[in-house]
Amino acid sequence: MVTLKDIGLRLGISPTQVSRALGGYPDVSDDTRQRVEDAVRQLGYRPNPNALRLKAGRSGVVGLVVPENSEQEESNILLEILLGLAVEFWKRDVLVVLNVLPKAAPSTKSYTRLFRQAAVDGFVVVNPSADPGLLAFLMAESIPFVTHGRAATTAGHAFVDLDNRAVGQIMAARLADLGHRDIAFVDGPQDSFSAEERLSGLSGVLAARGLSQRDDLIHRGMMTEQFGEAAVLSLFKNPDRAPTAIMVGNLVLATGVMRGLQRLGLSVPGDVSVMAHDDVLARYPRTTLTPDLSGTASPFTEAWGDIAGFLGQAIDGKNPGGLQKLIAPVAVQGASVAAPARA
Amino acid sequence: MVTLKDIGLRLGISPTQVSRALGGYPDVSDDTRQRVEDAVRQLGYRPNPNALRLKAGRSGVVGLVVPENSEQEESNILLEILLGLAVEFWKRDVLVVLNVLPKAAPSTKSYTRLFRQAAVDGFVVVNPSADPGLLAFLMAESIPFVTHGRAATTAGHAFVDLDNRAVGQIMAARLADLGHRDIAFVDGPQDSFSAEERLSGLSGVLAARGLSQRDDLIHRGMMTEQFGEAAVLSLFKNPDRAPTAIMVGNLVLATGVMRGLQRLGLSVPGDVSVMAHDDVLARYPRTTLTPDLSGTASPFTEAWGDIAGFLGQAIDGKNPGGLQKLIAPVAVQGASVAAPARA
DNA sequence: TTGTAAGCGTTATCAC
DNA sequence: GTGATAACGCTTACAA
């Protein structure tokens, strides 16, 4: 490994001066600077990152905490998050280390080991609702962190999340405007905060218009094609109680929903209107369904920069309570909604 | 941050002695050791990892190189790899940082930045066939690395891979034993080395028995359900030329294959025998198909320990040419194969 | 059994 | 414009 000393030795100057030349300090003669730069190129010098870190008192490393038991069908989303964050932090000369949260009884003890040993400046916590105790621990230890997504309580910690309530509101408003009254809701399980938020968006819109919500049209479960299909079959079991529109949590679920409708011989939007939210993934082509689904979309990609920025500020000691951002979804105009067939 | 000096000051001893006490050196009085340990607990002392790394001349960090443009449908496999390796290295007190290989024209320059800046002791390269130039670069720079999977040339570098040729052989032998002659092959694309190996396993078995191979029964493409289904439809377009058995690369493809057969009204194994390889993923329940598929299986999980071990040895300067391992697949007895209906 | 001192590779401070 | 020195926190000869 080539060091500043090596270069100094070779050029007959002190390491200090080499450092200055490389650091772009003004008080270095042009001649010296030139020779240093040449030598650096020739010898292939690279600053020793460990020395820099020791000097700076920072590791330049952030931890990426991901729960061991991630939703199986969400693997492409999780991967998108991991890779997206790695790239974003890399731009900022920050390394991202993977911390897998032990599935079995994550205790304060395992956290401690995680944080002491990882020796990172801060953490990004993915899917924080998977382990609320973790956030409490981090806050108590005043370890800088930002979450992607939210758990129920967000007071005083930094997060970046999609505005899922707006997602629910946009879809519900569109459907209600068209005259739909029996709107089904197919989304993630009870402990999914994002699904909860979208449902509350729907409820709010209905309430504001004096419409009542039918609990029997709410289907929550795993975000798999299978569950989407099963939910549809269940929804249309009794034709008298069937919905005229369906709001779906994401495109995986929607794929199952559309398959179910097809199996039942129901046309979209002729018989049923369908809206879905699309977490646009940069690394995956958009799922193509027929007809094109109306609904909402949000580019995940937007989040990475915000998360990296927030974490940087949190590490710099800024009050994390102010570092919160909701990403607004955009409405997507497809061809899967129409006024209800029966008035 | 609490340092050795702080503890020494508090206890009226030198930092050196504190270090020794903590390091488990014998020449420390029991009394001193006790007091040090107490102080450590009280003050919450943690060794500064950056100082350790600088001192040791090693970072205790390995890079995990993943291609930006990973196969979309393989995301759960890639995630399994990332998390599996992270956990395995974590056990060995080694951190894993994510390095995403730039999609656009990965140049020597981008590699250089990646490797110098990352300041890691070595790399695990996932899916090396995605970028052969990378391996050449790493070897030329004599940077320690281990690949998971292989590209065509493996001379002189460490790798851990499934023995895909054996996979092909096991399936082909079983089918040939039952009397199948027209065996279709549905697997990954041309540039997939694993698919290539499995095909060569099939070819070898056929050749050894004096059977000829029908190129029109070979379908290679993306490992998606869609492609699997399309391949089946194509295979049975002309009934006279249809296969009596199908070998499938993985369970995602197999799901599509089974759906295709169902659509065609073909029963398994009555009309067609199906065998598939199952990369058993620890984090995902085994895909359940009806009937249970016969074929081969290999627990991915086995690979992590080997990879971590190999990389450790490579970092310690061991000749990487000797660090190569093929994991043997096991035969899986399902209910999806039978003798061909027509002799 | 303990302390002193040097060194890992950098950069900031101070002096010349 | 340049060089010596100290310091970041730790380990390890070498002394005592």
Side-chain angles (χ1 to χ4, degrees):
Chain A
M1 152 157 280
V2 186
T3 69
L4 289 183
K5 200 163 101 182
D6 296 329
I7 298 187
L9 238 46
R10 182 178 222 256
L11 264 41
I13 59 180
S14 74
T16 309
Q17 198 61 358
V18 179
S19 172
R20 275 195 278 248
L22 261 36
Y25 285 74
D27 48 357
V28 176
S29 75
D30 287 348
D31 176 55
T32 301
R33 193 185 302 278
Q34 192 56 51
R35 290 170 57 221
V36 166
E37 283 171 1
D38 289 346
V40 161
R41 242 188 307 279
Q42 276 180 35
L43 281 78
Y45 163 82
R46 297 287 147 196
N48 180 324
N50 294 318
L52 291 177
R53 300 201 239 268
L54 175 59
K55 185 76 179 135
R58 290 231 178 118
S59 66
V61 177
V62 303
L64 196 49
V65 183
V66 353
E68 166 114 63
N69 53 342
S70 310
E71 300 289 327
Q72 38 170 320
E73 293 292 327
E74 305 255 306
S75 62
N76 50 355
I77 294 185
L78 185 51
L79 196 61
E80 178 94 2
I81 295 173
L82 297 187
L83 300 189
L85 284 172
V87 170
E88 184 65 32
F89 278 106
W90 177 252
K91 285 186 200 157
R92 302 166 186 239
D93 291 343
V94 172
L95 298 182
V96 171
V97 321
L98 268 181
N99 297 114
V100 180
L101 213 52
K103 175 164 33 191
S107 60
T108 303
K109 201 165 161 189
S110 61
Y111 295 155
T112 311
R113 166 148 189 256
L114 199 65
F115 300 129
R116 109 156 69 153
Q117 188 136 26
V120 300
D121 296 331
F123 288 89
V124 177
V125 180
V126 171
N127 189 14
S129 50
D131 185 358
L134 173 58
L135 300 194
F137 172 81
L138 288 171
M139 294 181 72
E141 298 275 312
S142 53
I143 295 170
F145 72 96
V146 178
T147 67
H148 179 248
R150 281 172 291 169
T153 55
T154 59
H157 84 255
F159 70 81
V160 175
D161 194 11
L162 168 65
D163 188 348
N164 280 297
R165 190 174 302 216
V167 167
Q169 287 166 342
I170 291 174
M171 293 191 193
R174 174 106 175 85
L175 293 171
D177 283 347
L178 285 167
H180 290 276
R181 296 296 171 264
D182 300 304
I183 303 176
F185 180 84
V186 179
D187 211 317
Q190 295 300 332
D191 61 356
S192 159
F193 185 71
S194 51
E196 194 63 35
E197 282 284 290
R198 291 193 278 251
L199 180 55
S200 101
L202 165 63
S203 305
V205 168
L206 293 179
R209 305 184 180 214
L211 303 173
S212 65
Q213 180 167 324
R214 283 180 48 197
D215 288 346
D216 61 318
L217 297 183
I218 297 175
H219 283 254
R220 299 178 65 175
M222 293 202 306
M223 312 232 4
T224 64
E225 296 186 11
Q226 286 74 17
F227 178 73
E229 190 168 348
V232 162
L233 299 184
S234 163
L235 281 169
F236 289 89
K237 197 161 246 170
N238 181 347
D240 298 336
R241 313 271 311 149
T244 61
I246 311 177
M247 281 172 48
V248 190
N250 75 2
L251 292 190
V252 174
L253 270 175
T255 304
V257 164
M258 296 302 280
R259 189 151 65 217
L261 290 173
Q262 195 183 5
R263 279 184 58 180
L264 292 171
L266 294 170
S267 76
V268 174
D271 299 316
V272 190
S273 290
V274 174
M275 296 192 87
H277 176 70
D278 179 10
D279 293 310
V280 180
L281 304 185
R283 287 174 182 74
Y284 301 89
R286 188 168 187 276
T287 310
T288 50
L289 292 169
T290 314
D292 262 357
L293 290 192
S294 300
T296 53
S298 65
F300 256 47
T301 320
E302 269 188 23
W304 314 148
D306 290 324
I307 290 176
F310 280 1
L311 187 52
Q313 293 181 52
I315 290 171
D316 287 340
K318 188 154 174 189
N319 171 26
L323 304 171
Q324 306 189 329
K325 172 166 178 180
L326 285 179
I327 297 176
V330 300
V332 171
Q333 192 70 290
S336 64
V337 297
R342 40 173 180 161
Chain B
M1 154 158 279
V2 184
T3 70
L4 289 183
K5 200 163 102 182
D6 296 330
I7 298 188
L9 238 47
R10 181 178 223 255
L11 263 43
I13 61 180
S14 75
T16 309
Q17 201 60 358
V18 179
S19 172
R20 278 195 276 247
L22 260 36
Y25 286 75
D27 47 357
V28 176
S29 74
D30 287 349
D31 176 54
T32 301
R33 194 185 300 280
Q34 193 55 54
R35 290 170 57 220
V36 166
E37 283 170 2
D38 290 346
V40 161
R41 241 187 308 280
Q42 276 180 35
L43 280 75
Y45 164 82
R46 303 291 156 213
N48 180 324
N50 295 317
L52 291 178
R53 298 202 239 270
L54 176 60
K55 182 71 182 150
R58 283 216 187 137
S59 63
V61 176
V62 303
L64 197 47
V65 182
V66 348
E68 165 114 65
N69 52 341
S70 309
E71 300 289 326
Q72 38 169 319
E73 293 291 328
E74 306 256 305
S75 60
N76 51 354
I77 294 185
L78 185 50
L79 196 61
E80 178 93 2
I81 295 174
L82 297 187
L83 300 189
L85 283 173
V87 169
E88 184 64 33
F89 278 106
W90 177 254
K91 285 184 201 156
R92 300 165 187 242
D93 291 345
V94 172
L95 298 182
V96 172
V97 321
L98 266 182
N99 297 112
V100 180
L101 212 52
K103 175 163 33 190
S107 61
T108 303
K109 202 165 156 189
S110 62
Y111 294 155
T112 311
R113 166 146 191 259
L114 198 65
F115 299 129
R116 306 293 192 197
Q117 188 135 26
V120 301
D121 296 331
F123 288 90
V124 176
V125 180
V126 171
N127 189 13
S129 51
D131 185 357
L134 172 60
L135 299 195
F137 172 82
L138 288 171
M139 294 181 73
E141 299 274 312
S142 53
I143 295 170
F145 73 98
V146 178
T147 67
H148 179 247
R150 282 173 291 168
T153 56
T154 59
H157 85 253
F159 70 80
V160 175
D161 194 10
L162 170 64
D163 188 348
N164 281 296
R165 190 174 302 216
V167 167
Q169 289 167 343
I170 291 173
M171 293 190 193
R174 175 105 174 86
L175 292 172
D177 283 348
L178 285 167
H180 290 276
R181 296 297 172 261
D182 300 303
I183 302 175
F185 180 84
V186 180
D187 211 317
Q190 295 299 332
D191 61 355
S192 159
F193 185 71
S194 53
E196 194 64 34
E197 283 283 290
R198 292 193 278 251
L199 180 55
S200 101
L202 164 63
S203 306
V205 167
L206 292 180
R209 306 185 178 212
L211 302 173
S212 65
Q213 179 167 325
R214 283 180 49 195
D215 288 348
D216 61 318
L217 296 183
I218 298 175
H219 282 255
R220 298 179 64 176
M222 294 202 307
M223 308 215 37
T224 64
E225 296 185 11
Q226 286 74 17
F227 179 72
E229 189 168 350
V232 162
L233 298 185
S234 163
L235 281 170
F236 290 88
K237 195 161 249 167
N238 181 346
D240 298 336
R241 313 271 311 148
T244 61
I246 310 178
M247 280 171 48
V248 190
N250 74 3
L251 292 190
V252 174
L253 271 174
T255 304
V257 164
M258 298 301 280
R259 190 152 64 217
L261 291 173
Q262 195 184 5
R263 278 184 56 181
L264 292 171
L266 294 170
S267 75
V268 175
D271 299 314
V272 190
S273 290
V274 174
M275 297 191 86
H277 177 70
D278 178 10
D279 294 309
V280 181
L281 305 186
R283 288 176 180 72
Y284 302 89
R286 189 168 187 276
T287 310
T288 51
L289 293 168
T290 314
D292 262 357
L293 290 192
S294 299
T296 53
S298 65
F300 257 46
T301 320
E302 270 188 23
W304 313 148
D306 290 323
I307 290 176
F310 280 0
L311 188 52
Q313 294 182 52
I315 290 171
D316 287 340
K318 188 154 176 189
N319 171 27
L323 304 170
Q324 306 189 328
K325 172 164 179 182
L326 286 179
I327 297 176
V330 299
V332 172
Q333 193 71 290
S336 64
V337 296
R342 41 172 178 159

